[in-house]
Coordinates of all heavy atoms in Angstrom, one line a residue:
I8 N 115.0 180.7 66.6 CA 114.2 180.1 65.5 C 112.7 180.2 65.9 O 112.0 180.4 65.0 CB 114.6 178.6 65.4 CG1 116.1 178.5 64.9 CG2 113.7 177.8 64.5 CD1 116.8 177.2 65.0
Y9 N 112.4 180.0 67.2 CA 111.0 180.1 67.6 C 110.5 181.5 67.3 O 109.5 181.7 66.7 CB 110.9 179.7 69.1 CG 109.6 180.1 69.7 CD1 108.4 179.4 69.4 CD2 109.5 181.1 70.6 CE1 107.1 179.8 69.9 CE2 108.3 181.5 71.2 CZ 107.2 180.8 70.9 OH 105.9 181.1 71.4
Q10 N 111.3 182.5 67.7 CA 110.9 183.9 67.5 C 110.7 184.3 66.0 O 109.8 185.0 65.6 CB 112.0 184.9 68.1 CG 111.9 184.8 69.6 CD 110.6 185.2 70.3 OE1 109.9 186.1 69.8 NE2 110.3 184.5 71.4
E11 N 111.6 183.7 65.1 CA 111.5 184.0 63.7 C 110.3 183.3 63.1 O 109.5 183.8 62.3 CB 112.7 183.4 63.0 CG 112.8 183.6 61.5 CD 112.9 185.1 61.1 OE1 113.2 186.0 61.9 OE2 112.6 185.4 59.9
T12 N 110.0 182.0 63.6 CA 108.8 181.3 63.1 C 107.5 181.9 63.5 O 106.5 181.8 62.7 CB 108.9 179.8 63.6 OG1 110.2 179.3 63.3 CG2 107.9 178.9 62.9
L13 N 107.6 182.5 64.6 CA 106.3 183.2 65.1 C 105.8 184.3 64.2 O 104.7 184.5 64.1 CB 106.5 183.9 66.4 CG 106.4 183.0 67.8 CD1 106.8 183.8 69.1 CD2 105.0 182.5 67.9
K14 N 106.7 184.9 63.5 CA 106.4 186.0 62.5 C 105.4 185.4 61.4 O 104.7 186.1 60.9 CB 107.6 186.6 61.8 CG 108.5 187.3 62.8 CD 109.8 187.7 62.1 CE 110.8 188.4 63.1 NZ 112.1 188.7 62.3
Y15 N 105.6 184.1 61.0 CA 104.9 183.5 60.0 C 103.8 182.6 60.5 O 102.9 182.2 59.7 CB 105.8 182.7 59.0 CG 106.9 183.7 58.5 CD1 108.1 183.7 59.1 CD2 106.7 184.6 57.5 CE1 109.2 184.5 58.7 CE2 107.6 185.5 57.0 CZ 108.9 185.4 57.7 OH 109.9 186.3 57.2
H16 N 103.9 182.1 61.8 CA 102.9 181.2 62.3 C 102.7 181.6 63.8 O 103.3 181.0 64.6 CB 103.5 179.8 62.1 CG 102.5 178.8 62.4 ND1 101.8 178.6 63.5 CD2 102.1 177.8 61.6 CE1 100.9 177.6 63.5 NE2 101.1 177.0 62.2
P17 N 101.9 182.6 64.0 CA 101.7 183.2 65.4 C 101.2 182.2 66.4 O 101.4 182.4 67.6 CB 100.8 184.3 65.1 CG 100.6 184.6 63.7 CD 101.1 183.4 63.0
T18 N 100.7 181.1 66.0 CA 100.2 180.2 67.0 C 101.1 179.0 67.3 O 100.8 178.1 68.1 CB 98.8 179.6 66.6 OG1 98.9 178.9 65.3 CG2 97.8 180.7 66.5
I19 N 102.3 179.0 66.7 CA 103.2 177.8 66.9 C 103.7 177.8 68.3 O 104.0 178.9 68.9 CB 104.3 177.9 65.9 CG1 105.0 176.5 65.8 CG2 105.3 179.0 66.2 CD1 105.9 176.3 64.6
S20 N 103.9 176.7 68.9 CA 104.4 176.6 70.3 C 105.9 176.3 70.3 O 106.4 175.8 69.3 CB 103.6 175.5 71.0 OG 104.0 174.2 70.6
K21 N 106.4 176.6 71.4 CA 108.0 176.3 71.6 C 108.2 174.8 71.5 O 109.2 174.4 70.9 CB 108.5 176.9 72.9 CG 108.8 178.3 72.9 CD 109.5 178.6 74.2 CE 109.8 180.1 74.2 NZ 110.6 180.5 75.4
A22 N 107.2 174.1 72.1 CA 107.4 172.6 72.1 C 107.4 172.1 70.6 O 108.2 171.2 70.3 CB 106.3 171.9 72.8
T23 N 106.6 172.6 69.8 CA 106.6 172.3 68.4 C 107.9 172.5 67.6 O 108.4 171.7 66.8 CB 105.4 172.9 67.7 OG1 104.1 172.5 68.2 CG2 105.4 172.6 66.1
V24 N 108.4 173.7 68.0 CA 109.7 174.1 67.4 C 110.8 173.2 67.8 O 111.5 172.6 67.0 CB 110.0 175.6 67.7 CG1 111.4 176.0 67.3 CG2 109.0 176.5 67.1
Y25 N 110.9 172.9 69.2 CA 111.9 172.0 69.7 C 111.7 170.6 69.1 O 112.8 170.0 68.7 CB 111.9 172.0 71.2 CG 112.5 173.2 71.9 CD1 111.9 174.4 71.9 CD2 113.8 173.0 72.4 CE1 112.5 175.5 72.5 CE2 114.4 174.1 73.1 CZ 113.8 175.3 73.1 OH 114.4 176.4 73.7
R26 N 110.6 170.1 69.1 CA 110.3 168.8 68.5 C 110.7 168.7 67.0 O 111.4 167.7 66.6 CB 108.8 168.4 68.7 CG 108.5 167.0 68.3 CD 107.1 166.7 68.6 NE 106.1 167.6 68.1 CZ 105.4 168.5 68.8 NH1 105.5 168.5 70.1 NH2 104.6 169.3 68.3
N27 N 110.4 169.7 66.3 CA 110.8 169.7 64.8 C 112.2 169.9 64.6 O 112.8 169.3 63.7 CB 109.8 170.7 64.1 CG 108.5 170.1 63.8 OD1 108.3 169.3 62.9 ND2 107.5 170.5 64.6
L28 N 112.9 170.7 65.5 CA 114.3 170.9 65.3 C 115.0 169.5 65.5 O 115.9 169.1 64.7 CB 114.8 171.9 66.3 CG 114.6 173.4 66.0 CD1 114.9 174.3 67.1 CD2 115.3 173.8 64.7
N29 N 114.6 168.8 66.5 CA 115.2 167.5 66.9 C 114.9 166.6 65.7 O 115.8 165.8 65.3 CB 114.7 166.9 68.1 CG 115.3 167.6 69.3 OD1 116.5 168.0 69.3 ND2 114.6 167.8 70.4
L30 N 113.7 166.5 65.1 CA 113.4 165.7 64.0 C 114.2 166.1 62.7 O 114.8 165.2 62.1 CB 111.9 165.9 63.7 CG 111.4 164.9 62.6 CD1 111.6 163.5 62.9 CD2 109.9 165.1 62.3
L31 N 114.4 167.4 62.5 CA 115.2 167.8 61.4 C 116.7 167.4 61.5 O 117.3 167.0 60.6 CB 115.1 169.3 61.2 CG 113.7 169.8 60.7 CD1 113.6 171.4 60.9 CD2 113.6 169.5 59.2
V32 N 117.1 167.4 62.8 CA 118.5 166.9 63.1 C 118.6 165.4 62.8 O 119.5 164.9 62.1 CB 118.9 167.3 64.5 CG1 120.3 166.5 64.9 CG2 119.1 168.7 64.7
Q33 N 117.6 164.7 63.2 CA 117.6 163.2 63.0 C 117.5 162.9 61.5 O 118.1 161.9 61.1 CB 116.4 162.6 63.7 CG 116.5 162.6 65.2 CD 115.2 162.0 65.9 OE1 114.3 161.8 65.3 NE2 115.2 161.9 67.2
Q34 N 116.8 163.6 60.7 CA 116.7 163.4 59.3 C 117.8 163.9 58.5 O 117.9 163.7 57.3 CB 115.4 164.0 58.8 CG 114.1 163.5 59.4 CD 112.8 164.2 58.8 OE1 112.9 165.4 58.6 NE2 111.7 163.6 59.0
G35 N 118.7 164.6 59.2 CA 120.0 165.1 58.4 C 119.7 166.3 57.7 O 120.5 166.7 56.8
E36 N 118.6 167.1 58.0 CA 118.4 168.3 57.3 C 119.2 169.5 57.8 O 119.5 170.5 57.1 CB 116.9 168.6 57.4 CG 115.9 167.7 56.8 CD 115.9 167.8 55.2 OE1 116.1 169.0 54.8 OE2 115.7 166.8 54.6
I37 N 119.5 169.4 59.1 CA 120.3 170.5 59.8 C 121.2 169.8 60.8 O 121.1 168.6 61.1 CB 119.3 171.5 60.6 CG1 118.5 170.8 61.6 CG2 118.6 172.3 59.5 CD1 117.7 171.8 62.5
L38 N 122.2 170.6 61.3 CA 123.1 170.1 62.3 C 122.8 170.8 63.6 O 122.4 171.9 63.7 CB 124.5 170.4 61.9 CG 125.1 169.8 60.7 CD1 126.6 170.3 60.4 CD2 125.1 168.3 60.8
K39 N 123.0 170.0 64.8 CA 122.9 170.6 66.1 C 124.3 170.9 66.6 O 125.2 170.0 66.5 CB 122.2 169.7 67.0 CG 122.1 170.3 68.5 CD 121.6 169.4 69.5 CE 120.2 168.8 69.3 NZ 119.8 168.1 70.5
V40 N 124.6 172.1 67.0 CA 125.9 172.4 67.6 C 125.7 172.6 69.0 O 125.1 173.5 69.5 CB 126.4 173.8 67.0 CG1 127.8 174.2 67.5 CG2 126.5 173.8 65.4
E41 N 126.2 171.6 69.8 CA 126.1 171.6 71.2 C 127.1 172.5 71.8 O 128.3 172.3 71.6 CB 126.1 170.1 71.8 CG 125.0 169.2 71.2 CD 125.0 167.8 71.7 OE1 125.8 167.5 72.5 OE2 124.2 167.1 71.1
V42 N 126.6 173.4 72.7 CA 127.5 174.3 73.4 C 127.5 174.0 74.9 O 126.4 174.1 75.5 CB 127.1 175.8 73.2 CG1 127.9 176.7 74.0 CG2 127.1 176.1 71.7
P43 N 128.5 173.5 75.5 CA 128.5 173.2 76.9 C 128.1 174.4 77.7 O 128.6 175.5 77.4 CB 130.0 172.7 77.1 CG 130.5 172.3 75.9 CD 129.8 173.2 74.8
D44 N 127.3 174.3 78.7 CA 126.9 175.4 79.5 C 126.2 176.4 78.8 O 126.2 177.7 79.1 CB 128.1 176.0 80.3 CG 128.8 174.9 81.1 OD1 128.1 174.1 81.7 OD2 130.1 175.0 81.2
G45 N 125.6 176.2 77.6 CA 124.9 177.2 76.8 C 123.9 176.5 75.9 O 123.7 175.3 75.9
A46 N 123.1 177.3 75.3 CA 122.0 176.8 74.4 C 122.6 176.2 73.2 O 123.6 176.6 72.7 CB 121.1 177.9 74.0
D47 N 121.9 175.1 72.7 CA 122.3 174.5 71.5 C 122.0 175.4 70.3 O 121.0 176.2 70.4 CB 121.5 173.2 71.2 CG 121.9 172.1 72.2 OD1 123.0 172.1 72.8 OD2 121.1 171.2 72.4
H48 N 122.8 175.4 69.3 CA 122.7 176.1 68.1 C 122.4 175.3 66.9 O 122.7 174.1 67.0 CB 123.9 177.0 67.9 CG 124.1 178.1 68.9 ND1 123.9 179.5 68.6 CD2 124.5 178.1 70.2 CE1 124.2 180.2 69.6 NE2 124.6 179.4 70.6
F49 N 121.9 175.8 65.9 CA 121.6 174.9 64.7 C 122.2 175.5 63.5 O 122.3 176.7 63.3 CB 119.9 174.8 64.6 CG 119.5 174.0 65.7 CD1 119.1 174.7 66.9 CD2 119.3 172.6 65.8 CE1 118.5 174.1 68.0 CE2 118.8 172.0 66.9 CZ 118.4 172.8 68.1
D50 N 122.6 174.6 62.5 CA 123.3 175.0 61.4 C 122.7 174.3 60.1 O 122.4 173.2 60.2 CB 124.8 174.5 61.6 CG 125.7 175.1 60.5 OD1 125.3 175.7 59.6 OD2 126.9 174.9 60.8

């Protein structure tokens, strides 16, 4: 998601992406798919 967002906003930081992903999950806009021993995915 960070790599895709960079195409449209070259100065965005990873921290901003992570923070906003968590906020979008909290707001019910997206789902977080937790993968044990792997990176979380978003839906």
Side-chain angles (χ1 to χ4, degrees):
I8 295 163
Y9 170 67
Q10 292 301 324
E11 181 68 15
T12 306
L13 273 177
K14 295 175 185 176
Y15 305 98
H16 195 300
T18 60
I19 197 165
S20 70
K21 277 188 182 184
T23 298
V24 171
Y25 279 78
R26 183 174 55 252
N27 280 284
L28 283 170
N29 287 325
L30 185 60
L31 288 165
V32 169
Q33 289 173 358
Q34 292 175 339
E36 297 281 334
I37 60 174
L38 297 176
K39 182 191 291 188
V40 180
E41 296 180 11
V42 177
D44 304 322
D47 292 337
H48 292 250
F49 296 88
D50 193 350

